[in-house]
Amino acid sequence: MDFAFYLQQFHWAAGEIPGIKLDRKGLKLSVDIVLESVALKVYKPEWSGDHQSPLDAVGRIFFSVWVNDKAIQEDRIYYNIHALKVRELKNYRISGRSFAQDFRTEFLKHHKDWPNVSVEYGPLTLMQGWIQLKNDRIQKDVYELVQNFLKISSIIDHILDSHRK
């Protein structure tokens, strides 16, 4: 896998997301190599059990888009939303299963906007899908997936707000 190529593509896509749009929602972006994958993550420090280190917190919620060797062999870019150990989130009292169920109920109103998506996972993966990998469209496709997430990120906020301690 050509990590430099995919990192460049993902960084370009991240750079196209208007900072003001992210700031209004309190969201942050990260592009890095994670578990032998190039990944872009969208997260909010408040969606973690450690606001100082939200990407490494035991409990955290984030959206990710990634490619790895397997994805490249399948001509796919994968995306998902993870909700890891939500019981560890400070200021909230909610179980992982309850959070996943509430999220999926709301997400189903938007599933048509997400290609090849499924919610048939355990409580840690709220949804997951894929798009076809086209090297000449990676930047645009990753950008569009992030834009889709920005439209639904408030679902996470609403669910968490309803379970505030």
Side-chain angles (χ1 to χ4, degrees), residues 44-51 54 57-62 82-95 99 156 159-160 163-165:
K44 188 181 279 194
E46 292 79 20
W47 295 347
S48 76
D50 181 352
H51 297 182
V58 173
R60 64 190 185 274
I61 301 167
F62 60 91
H82 273 305
L84 306 176
K85 300 194 179 197
V86 295
R87 285 184 191 265
E88 300 288 326
L89 301 184
K90 296 175 181 172
N91 304 320
Y92 306 101
R93 181 169 292 140
I94 187 169
S95 73
F99 185 86
I156 296 167
I159 295 168
L160 289 175
H163 293 279
R164 200 171 281 281
K165 286 182 185 175

Side-chain angles (χ1 to χ4, degrees), residues 21-152:
K21 207 171 192 180
L22 294 168
D23 291 345
R24 264 192 245 131
K25 295 178 176 282
L27 295 168
K28 309 279 185 203
L29 292 176
S30 168
V31 175
D32 208 348
I33 296 173
V34 180
L35 301 174
E36 298 185 28
S37 301
V38 171
L40 179 148
K41 292 184 181 183
V42 184
Y43 63 97
K44 188 181 279 194
E46 292 79 20
W47 295 347
S48 76
D50 181 352
H51 297 182
Q52 300 305 312
S53 188
L55 289 173
D56 299 319
V58 173
R60 64 190 185 274
I61 301 167
F62 60 91
F63 171 72
S64 64
V65 180
W66 76 93
V67 295
N68 55 25
D69 283 329
K70 179 179 183 256
I72 293 166
Q73 290 170 0
E74 297 171 340
D75 287 326
R76 293 181 177 182
I77 296 175
Y78 284 97
Y79 64 86
N80 69 14
I81 300 175
H82 273 305
L84 306 176
K85 300 194 179 197
V86 295
R87 285 184 191 265
E88 300 288 326
L89 301 184
K90 296 175 181 172
N91 304 320
Y92 306 101
R93 181 169 292 140
I94 187 169
S95 73
R97 290 196 187 285
S98 178
F99 185 86
Q101 181 179 345
D102 291 351
F103 176 85
R104 290 171 180 150
T105 298
E106 288 302 310
F107 176 76
L108 288 176
K109 298 172 187 173
H110 305 275
H111 79 278
K112 67 186 178 315
D113 299 327
W114 294 88
N116 307 302
V117 72
S118 175
V119 295
E120 300 299 319
Y121 295 92
L124 302 181
T125 302
L126 302 177
M127 59 81 118
Q128 183 166 306
W130 58 273
I131 59 173
Q132 185 177 6
L133 172 61
K134 298 177 185 169
N135 282 341
D136 62 335
R137 288 188 45 96
I138 292 171
Q139 298 168 351
K140 186 175 194 278
D141 289 342
V142 171
Y143 172 87
E144 288 175 359
L145 288 169
V146 172
Q147 291 300 314
N148 277 355
F149 178 71
L150 295 178
K151 292 175 190 171
I152 66 165

